[in-house]
């Protein structure tokens, strides 16, 4: 007799703290007893917990069972009325009012559950429509489009425009300032390109400074070394 109220109070405390899993376990422990299986509060509280956990079908079963039990209690109290239609004593009157109050609370929770079920169904339909639109747009974007055919008649991922000239790669400039283009096998490496640019800068500096009689040998030596670096690159 003491164990059932304690478990129901623990379930209520856990429910108010929003620890629904613990509240559900306390209700299950209460249901293991015969008095718990016949308790209106046990079924009602487990139904509320399951409703908050999104288990709408199980919650409906518990609320229906709680409503069935409380209506049975009301019928028993009505059968115990005297000939004038009143209750036999104050205790029966109190129990009748309590049963009517429990019935009203259970009906309110069932209405709340019905609203949640309808809202969940609407959300499910909206999500389904949104996913259908998403997949349709994805299929339209993935539809293959015809590419321009190459000279051999095969399509490529990045077709070239007809009549477009091949891009020339400028690797160096000659003494007259004209660009020199080299083939794939004569492309300069990064180091070679760096050395070539350094040689150009040094040559420009030497042209600005000029060559006098005293520094002529030194300038010639620098030019010789730059020419050797170019050949090595």
């Amino acid at each position: 007799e003491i164990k059932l109220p304690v478990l129901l109070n623990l379930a209520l405390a856990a429910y108010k703290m929003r620890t629904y899993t613990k509240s559900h376990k306390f209700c299950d422990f209460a249901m293991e007893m015969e008095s718990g299986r016949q308790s209106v509060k046990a079924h009602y509280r487990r139904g509320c917990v399951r409703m908050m956990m999104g288990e709408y079908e199980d919650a409906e079963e518990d609320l229906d069972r709680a409503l069935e039990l409380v209506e049975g209690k009301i019928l028993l109290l009505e059968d115990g009325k005297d000939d004038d239609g009143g209750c036999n004593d104050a205790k029966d009157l109190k129990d009748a009012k309590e049963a009517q109050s429990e019935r009203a609370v259970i009906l309110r929770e069932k209405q709340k559950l019905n609203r949640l079920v309808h809202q969940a169904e609407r959300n499910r339909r909206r999500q389904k429509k949104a996913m259908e639109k998403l997949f349709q747009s994805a299929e339209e974007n993935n539809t293959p489009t015809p590419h321009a055919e190459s000279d051999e008649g095969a399509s490529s991922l990045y077709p070239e425009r007809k009549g477009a000239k091949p891009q020339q790669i400028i690797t160096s400039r000659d003494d007259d300032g004209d660009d020199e283009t080299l083939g794939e096998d004569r492309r300069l490496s990064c180091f070679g390109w760096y050395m070539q640019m350094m040689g150009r800068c040094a040559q420009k500096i030497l042209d600005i400074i000029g060559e006098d009689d005293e520094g002529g040998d030194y300038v010639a030596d620098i030019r010789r070394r730059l020419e050797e670096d170019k050949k090595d690159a």
Side-chain angles (χ1 to χ4, degrees):
E1 296 297 334
I2 298 176
K3 187 177 180 180
L4 179 61
V6 171
L7 289 173
L8 294 179
N9 289 335
L10 290 173
L12 178 60
Y15 177 81
K16 290 184 176 180
M17 294 176 64
R18 298 183 179 181
T19 53
Y20 301 123
T21 303
K22 289 184 178 180
S23 181
H24 194 285
K25 289 182 179 180
F26 287 132
C27 292
D28 289 339
F29 292 153
M31 294 289 186
E32 292 178 357
M33 298 181 292
E34 181 63 27
S35 58
R37 289 190 289 270
Q38 300 298 323
S39 174
V40 177
K41 290 184 179 179
H43 288 282
Y44 168 75
R45 287 181 182 169
R46 192 171 71 172
C48 293
V49 171
R50 286 178 169 178
M51 180 171 58
M52 298 304 297
M53 295 175 67
E55 301 175 0
Y56 297 143
E57 294 182 359
D58 295 335
E60 186 177 5
E61 291 180 1
D62 281 328
L63 293 177
D64 289 339
R65 177 57 179 165
L67 185 60
E68 180 182 350
L69 291 173
V70 76
E71 287 179 348
K73 185 189 295 186
I74 293 173
L75 291 175
L76 289 176
L77 293 172
E78 288 179 353
D79 293 339
K81 291 180 180 180
D82 54 18
D83 296 336
D84 296 335
C87 296
N88 294 327
D89 52 16
K91 185 178 181 302
D92 292 341
L93 180 61
K94 182 180 178 180
D95 292 342
K97 290 182 179 180
E98 183 179 353
Q100 293 292 343
S101 177
E102 290 177 350
R103 183 176 182 274
V105 172
I106 295 171
L107 291 176
R108 283 199 300 268
E109 289 298 321
K110 284 180 63 66
Q111 292 176 357
K112 180 180 178 180
L113 177 61
N114 291 332
R115 290 195 298 268
L116 290 175
V117 170
H118 293 323
Q119 183 65 35
E121 184 64 23
R122 286 197 297 269
N123 292 338
R124 188 188 65 82
R125 289 196 296 265
R126 290 175 183 173
Q127 291 178 358
K128 184 178 179 180
K129 291 181 180 179
M131 293 301 295
E132 288 177 354
K133 291 181 180 179
L134 178 63
F135 283 115
Q136 288 177 358
S137 60
E139 290 176 357
E140 292 176 358
N141 293 333
N142 292 332
T143 301
T145 56
H147 296 290
E149 295 183 355
S150 60
D151 295 337
E152 292 80 9
S155 60
S156 62
L157 183 60
Y158 301 103
E160 297 181 356
R161 291 178 297 177
K162 293 182 178 181
K165 296 181 179 180
Q167 185 178 4
Q168 295 180 345
I169 301 175
I170 300 174
T171 58
S172 63
R173 294 180 183 275
D174 55 14
D175 296 337
D176 298 334
D178 297 331
D179 296 336
E180 295 180 357
T181 58
L182 301 177
E184 292 290 337
D185 56 342
R186 297 187 61 190
R187 289 185 183 179
L188 296 178
S189 63
C190 292
F191 178 75
W193 177 84
Y194 175 76
M195 294 300 299
Q196 191 179 69
M197 294 302 296
M198 291 295 294
R200 292 179 186 175
C201 293
Q203 182 67 43
K204 193 68 175 178
I205 292 173
L206 292 175
D207 293 340
I208 294 174
I209 294 175
E211 301 179 5
D212 51 10
D213 295 336
E214 296 178 357
D217 295 339
Y218 177 72
V219 172
D221 184 59
I222 292 177
R223 283 185 172 179
R224 181 178 57 80
R225 291 181 180 180
L226 291 174
E227 291 295 332
E228 291 177 357
D229 292 337
K230 287 182 180 180
K231 292 179 180 180
D232 294 337

